[in-house]
Amino acid sequence: MNVLVCGGAGYIGSHTVYKLIEKGHNVIVADSLVTGHKTAVHNDALLFEGDLRDEDFMDRLFSENRIDAVIDFAAFSLVGESVQNPLKYYENNVYGTLKLLQAMVKAGVDKIVFSSTAAVYGEPENNIILESDKTFPTNPYGETKLAVEKILKWSDRAYGIKFAALRYFNAAGAHISGKIGEDHSPETHLIPIIIQTAAGKRDKLYIFGDDYPTKDGTCIRDYIHVTDLADAHIKALEKLVRTNESGIYNLGNGKGFSVKEVVDAVKKVTGKDFPVEIKERRPGDPSSLIASSKKAMEELGWTPKYNTLDKIIETAVKWHIDNPKGYR
Ligand code: NAD
Ligand code: UDP
């Protein structure tokens, strides 16, 4: 297939591009490089540098290339920043995807896999979250992703655009080759920050709140390896082609780890100790997010391979050791 990957120069997008190429697909990447990296894009993919909100750019993209399906990663995704600056998030995440969908309708492209998030659930009603649970985001980032899910639902009905919305839990880890990995600037995600602290690049690790209603008071998250996420995108695309049916799927390992447990796991994998300090809560953080991925397993035939926290951290540590300055 000819697959357009929007945001394919970013963390999860670049891993999905590697997987698509491994499976023999032709890949076109559209990315503004606002947070992505040119060198993260696989050599066999064609990179078009531009913004989804730029209508001329999108028209050129769709008229110059034969595109069978789209995978859309392009968005801003920092919970804290979205609370500080919600308009920035609505502008890029909602309007950007809207422009993409308009370009798809114009060009007659009718399949899309969309990056949604566990943040659509907000403070969950159940310990293990099902796709049918209530969605009530606690931050603007989650709201923008939920808004797009709704736009997709109505676009399916009106224009026949079939979609898979993949609600990832916490993406982590890096490609097994050590060639691509997580390099956000500034970095805000827990695992890379702990690894940077273990490597002596930060003085100490700050834990945002230890008064949550969890086993040790720190937030619980379900960490899922980026290569397993990449695999789920291919399987979601294959299912769209096979069944022509839209769907929403959680993607996680189904196991929750507290911030303190993740700190201990990185200390164990790296053999390094470092200071840890408790700070106030970060606004917008739900206390616990753990996925039921039963639906993705049954309907997509997806099984995560990196199913322990240690395996996930080991690949992230390898990436940081092989690339101490990230892509720079
Ligand atoms: P990332 O920032 O590394 O990648 C996003 C990519 O999109 C970047 O390459 C960026 O340059 C590009 N981009 C952003 N806005 C654009 C625009 N308007 N036009 C063109 N390109 C644009 O982020 P990531 O961590 O790889 O996340 C990818 C997607 O997955 C995002 O939509 C995010 O919301 C979602 N998600 C991420 C996580 C996680 O843990 N990282 C969890 C759940 C959902
Ligand atoms: N976190 C932390 N210290 C940090 C970074 C993150 O305590 O330096 C916590 C954060 O408050 C959240 C969890 O780690 O409870 C995971 O945060 P991350 O930003 O990695 O992912 P999110 O769950 O926000 O998508």
Side-chain angles (χ1 to χ4, degrees):
M1 283 172 86
N2 298 311
V3 185
L4 169 64
V5 182
C6 301
Y11 171 45
I12 308 171
S14 60
H15 286 76
T16 305
V17 169
Y18 267 58
K19 195 65 146 189
L20 282 164
I21 285 169
E22 199 184 297
K23 298 265 176 193
H25 296 288
N26 296 318
V27 180
I28 299 139
V29 170
D31 201 301
S32 64
L33 302 179
V34 60
T35 56
H37 307 272
K38 214 177 219 168
T39 44
V41 179
H42 195 292
N43 282 337
D44 294 344
L46 208 55
L47 171 65
F48 285 75
E49 217 176 303
D51 197 295
L52 300 194
R53 293 165 291 182
D54 175 347
E55 210 168 310
D56 291 341
F57 170 71
M58 295 305 277
D59 282 347
R60 247 184 302 121
L61 193 65
F62 279 89
S63 59
E64 286 175 13
N65 299 283
R66 220 198 81 207
I67 293 166
D68 300 312
V70 176
I71 306 184
D72 179 26
F73 296 96
F76 294 137
S77 54
L78 305 181
V79 167
E81 186 188 53
S82 80
V83 176
Q84 305 301 324
N85 195 355
L87 297 184
K88 175 177 174 181
Y89 277 69
Y90 278 91
E91 224 261 319
N92 198 30
N93 298 5
V94 181
Y95 182 64
T97 314
L98 196 83
K99 297 312 285 180
L100 168 64
L101 287 165
Q102 284 175 343
M104 287 175 64
V105 171
K106 218 181 200 178
V109 178
D110 64 356
K111 285 173 195 62
I112 180 167
V113 179
F114 171 68
S115 296
S116 189
T117 169
V120 298
Y121 294 108
E123 199 57 59
E125 50 182 349
N126 295 308
N127 192 22
I128 307 288
I129 303 171
L130 289 169
E131 290 83 351
S132 51
D133 285 359
K134 80 166 172 27
T135 46
F136 203 81
T138 51
N139 55 64
Y141 165 62
E143 291 283 9
T144 62
K145 292 288 180 171
L146 191 58
V148 172
E149 285 192 7
K150 290 178 180 170
I151 293 172
L152 288 170
K153 182 185 83 178
W154 292 110
S155 297
D156 178 352
R157 293 208 194 157
Y159 319 111
I161 292 187
K162 298 298 164 189
F163 69 90
L166 305 182
R167 292 176 176 167
Y168 328 145
F169 283 58
N170 287 60
H175 198 267
I176 192 81
S177 65
K179 279 190 194 158
I180 50 172
E182 187 165 14
D183 180 8
H184 292 122
S185 183
E187 191 52 79
T188 62
H189 290 119
L190 182 66
I191 291 181
I193 286 182
I194 306 178
I195 293 172
Q196 288 169 1
T197 315
K201 291 184 183 159
R202 292 170 188 258
D203 293 340
K204 58 173 82 159
L205 179 84
Y206 294 103
I207 293 183
F208 302 140
D210 68 348
D211 58 349
Y212 285 95
T214 59
K215 52 189 164 187
D216 60 19
T218 65
C219 286
I220 291 182
R221 294 289 182 272
D222 181 345
Y223 295 88
I224 178 77
H225 197 275
V226 63
T227 299
D228 286 325
L229 288 181
D231 190 39
H233 286 77
I234 317 275
K235 294 203 154 66
L237 204 55
E238 288 168 354
K239 189 189 174 245
L240 280 181
V241 172
R242 201 170 58 241
T243 66
N244 209 34
E245 270 174 26
S246 299
I248 295 179
Y249 301 94
N250 285 342
L251 297 176
N253 267 310
K255 282 180 227 114
F257 295 94
S258 72
V259 175
K260 282 185 178 166
E261 285 173 332
V262 179
V263 170
D264 289 343
V266 174
K267 284 186 175 175
K268 191 181 85 189
V269 169
T270 59
K272 297 263 165 51
D273 200 7
F274 46 84
V276 172
E277 189 179 311
I278 309 293
K279 277 191 32 168
E280 67 275 16
R281 290 180 177 199
R282 190 174 66 176
D285 273 347
S287 56
S288 170
L289 291 170
I290 308 170
S292 161
S293 301
K294 199 163 168 265
K295 187 176 171 196
M297 289 175 177
E298 286 176 3
E299 291 188 16
L300 306 180
W302 174 73
T303 315
K305 310 238 162 19
Y306 296 85
N307 51 6
T308 67
L309 187 60
D310 282 1
K311 278 197 216 172
I312 292 173
I313 291 172
E314 279 159 18
T315 61
V317 168
K318 177 176 165 51
W319 154 255
H320 284 271
I321 290 173
D322 291 355
N323 307 273
K325 292 191 173 150
Y327 289 105
R328 280 165 293 272

